[in-house]
Amino acid sequence: AQSVTQLDSHVSVSEGTPVLLRCNYSSSYSPSLFWYVQHPNKGLQLLLKYTSAATLVKGINGFEAEFKKSETSFHLTKPSAHMSDAAEYFCVVSESGGTSYGKLTFGQGTILTVHP
Amino acid sequence: ETGVTQTPRHLVMGMTNKKSLKCEQHLGHNAMYWYKQSAKKPLELMFVYSLEERVENNSVPSRFSPECPNSSHLFLHLHTLQPEDSALYLCASSLAPGPAAAFFGQGTRLTVV
């Protein structure tokens, strides 16, 4: 079984300051991990993915995430927030084993607010 | 633009109506999914199709009926819905088999009155 916990439901930062969105996961098999972003009234857009290659993953729009197996974490970071980063972010896990058929399990989401 | 298109974008229907949601992808993906996104809840997987065969039905009520006529199209037929079924319904596709990044459509905002 797999699960995802996003530790903060809301994060608020000032423009130009670093962003940290926290995610912990649980998985019976080797997981693939993703971060998706959802802007208001829009669908989900893939930011980045980890699939057992390099543990530090770079994504679009300056975001990156580090896979830490010992901590079962996959936190999302960005050095400097931009107003356009304001959105809801979802951490997602998918198991590599079993018959998952690419089943994605979503966290509850973190709403990022960026202040001028 | 992710390559996954959903229509309609918005739908209001009565509890006795029958309507269908449509999803289309031309990414060459073999797996397609329906997800439900309700307020204050994580996304819920409803159905998974792999190579046009339904491989997962996540305990979804029978008033939701999926159809996958080919690998590019996915439908969700709705009948006798309840107000609590109001939500954003998201379609996604991915390469199959196994876990892979899914590409999502923009969703259909469904309101049941």
Side-chain angles (χ1 to χ4, degrees):
Chain A
Q2 57 190 27
S3 66
V4 177
T5 302
Q6 291 183 241
L7 299 169
D8 308 291
S9 58
H10 290 83
V11 170
S12 182
V13 301
S14 298
E15 190 174 21
T17 64
V19 175
L20 170 63
L21 305 183
R22 299 182 294 164
C23 172
N24 286 109
Y25 71 91
S26 171
S27 175
S28 303
Y29 300 96
S30 300
S32 294
L33 293 156
F34 311 86
W35 276 98
Y36 283 84
V37 60
Q38 187 176 32
H39 288 90
N41 301 314
K42 295 284 181 69
L44 290 155
Q45 181 184 18
L46 179 67
L47 271 181
L48 50 79
K49 62 180 178 180
Y50 165 78
T51 53
S52 77
T55 56
L56 182 62
V57 181
K58 294 188 184 300
I60 62 172
N61 301 335
F63 284 94
E64 61 182 39
E66 186 171 8
F67 173 71
K68 291 187 176 180
K69 186 175 180 179
S70 60
E71 299 176 9
T72 60
S73 70
F74 191 58
H75 302 333
L76 181 70
T77 60
K78 182 173 180 177
S80 175
H82 191 274
M83 295 296 290
S84 61
D85 294 328
E88 188 163 16
Y89 292 79
F90 294 92
C91 182
V92 182
V93 64
S94 180
E95 291 183 334
S96 301
T99 55
S100 63
Y101 292 102
K103 177 181 177 179
L104 304 178
T105 299
F106 283 75
Q108 291 194 301
T110 298
I111 295 174
L112 176 65
T113 303
V114 182
H115 298 287
Chain B
E1 180 59 53
T2 62
V4 179
T5 304
Q6 289 186 244
T7 54
R9 292 291 309 278
H10 300 272
L11 178 62
V12 179
M13 60 185 288
M15 289 189 282
T16 58
N17 290 159
K18 288 185 180 181
K19 296 285 184 184
S20 296
L21 309 185
K22 179 182 177 182
C23 177
E24 186 172 356
Q25 60 90 9
H26 296 287
L27 300 169
H29 291 168
N30 291 322
M32 296 188 77
Y33 313 79
W34 281 115
Y35 282 86
K36 177 183 179 182
Q37 187 176 29
S38 304
K40 302 186 189 304
K41 284 186 175 181
L43 264 79
E44 302 170 64
L45 178 66
M46 300 175 73
F47 300 104
V48 181
Y49 276 83
S50 178
L51 299 170
E52 300 149 46
E53 179 183 343
R54 190 191 310 180
V55 296
E56 187 151 348
N57 175 351
N58 217 20
S59 304
V60 180
S62 59
R63 57 186 184 269
F64 295 91
S65 174
E67 178 190 2
C68 188
N70 55 63
S71 60
S72 299
H73 294 86
L74 183 67
F75 295 89
L76 187 63
H77 303 300
L78 316 170
H79 64 98
T80 60
L81 294 192
Q82 304 297 312
E84 60 264 29
D85 296 323
S86 299
L88 181 68
Y89 289 85
L90 291 163
C91 172
S93 70
S94 70
L95 292 172
F103 291 80
F104 284 80
Q106 292 193 302
T108 296
R109 174 68 63 187
L110 173 67
T111 303
V112 181
V113 297

